[in-house]
Amino acid sequence: MTLNLFQIEQEYMSLAQQIIECDGAVTPEIDSQLAITEAQLEHKGRGYGFVIKQAESEIEIIESEIKRLEALKSARAKMANRMKDSLKNAMELFGIDKLESPTLKVSFRKSESVDVDEPFLPDEYFNVREVRTPNKAKIKADLEAGKQIQGACILTKNNLQIK
């Protein structure tokens, strides 16, 4: 019977509980079950490691494809904007407001926007936003120097590394 990692972990926890209930005594039966659980974990762990490495390499390929597609998208957007500008300029030059065909309509639409010259704009026309964020580098340095800071501590984590 093949177990998934969760089942292996649950079995191991059950065996650990049995050992605690026996005041730390490890029977030959528990010892053999622990060895099987550990061997299963090693086997599953290697399998997981290979799948994770494969997924990470696919992520790199996908990221490079995204960059390639973003470059294509950008080039197409620039081309479309240049063509729009050329068409707009030509229509304005000839005084044409509308071009129509059975499947396409090109026309002008009026719009308004506010143009500002910021150095000359009075302060009352500015929005001011204040953003507060913790300075984690300073907090870490102070904690490492022995200073007690309420609401902050240094956490040590075990990060899984697959090579």
Side-chain angles (χ1 to χ4, degrees):
M1 172 174 115
T2 57
L3 302 175
N4 64 32
L5 281 179
F6 177 76
Q7 291 167 329
I8 293 170
E9 183 181 351
Q10 292 302 309
E11 188 174 315
Y12 183 81
M13 296 299 286
S14 172
L15 291 171
Q17 186 61 38
Q18 287 178 25
I19 293 169
I20 291 169
E21 289 170 1
C22 294
D23 294 324
V26 179
T27 65
E29 179 186 278
I30 291 175
D31 193 36
S32 68
Q33 286 179 307
L34 281 172
I36 290 170
T37 302
E38 191 173 324
Q40 288 173 327
L41 175 61
E42 278 192 35
H43 176 73
K44 285 286 183 186
R46 278 192 297 276
Y48 270 58
F50 286 122
V51 171
I52 291 167
K53 283 183 76 155
Q54 177 67 32
E56 289 174 344
S57 69
E58 288 173 359
I59 288 169
E60 290 177 21
I61 292 168
I62 291 168
E63 285 175 346
S64 69
E65 184 65 9
I66 288 171
K67 287 177 186 175
R68 185 185 73 80
L69 291 172
E70 287 289 340
L72 283 175
K73 176 183 170 185
S74 176
R76 297 297 193 286
K78 287 177 184 176
M79 177 198 66
N81 286 333
R82 279 193 307 271
M83 292 180 78
K84 278 182 186 177
D85 287 343
S86 294
L87 181 57
K88 176 183 176 269
N89 291 338
M91 287 175 67
E92 286 174 341
L93 179 67
F94 288 100
I96 298 172
D97 290 332
K98 193 185 311 183
L99 298 172
E100 288 188 63
S101 77
T103 58
L104 181 72
K105 179 179 177 182
V106 179
S107 62
F108 289 108
R109 175 182 46 88
K110 298 277 186 207
S111 67
E112 293 179 344
S113 66
V114 177
D115 187 36
V116 295
D117 195 357
E118 286 189 29
F120 300 105
L121 200 60
D123 287 343
E124 66 186 271
Y125 294 105
F126 282 90
N127 292 326
V128 178
R129 293 187 188 124
E130 185 176 319
V131 178
R132 284 177 26 115
T133 58
N135 182 343
K136 290 186 178 182
K138 182 176 179 3
I139 292 170
K140 184 178 181 186
D142 286 352
L143 286 171
E144 287 175 340
K147 187 174 181 180
Q148 296 291 320
I149 303 171
Q150 183 177 345
C153 65
I154 294 176
L155 298 176
T156 302
K157 299 178 182 179
N158 286 329
N159 297 315
L160 187 64
Q161 177 177 319
I162 301 173
K163 291 185 176 182

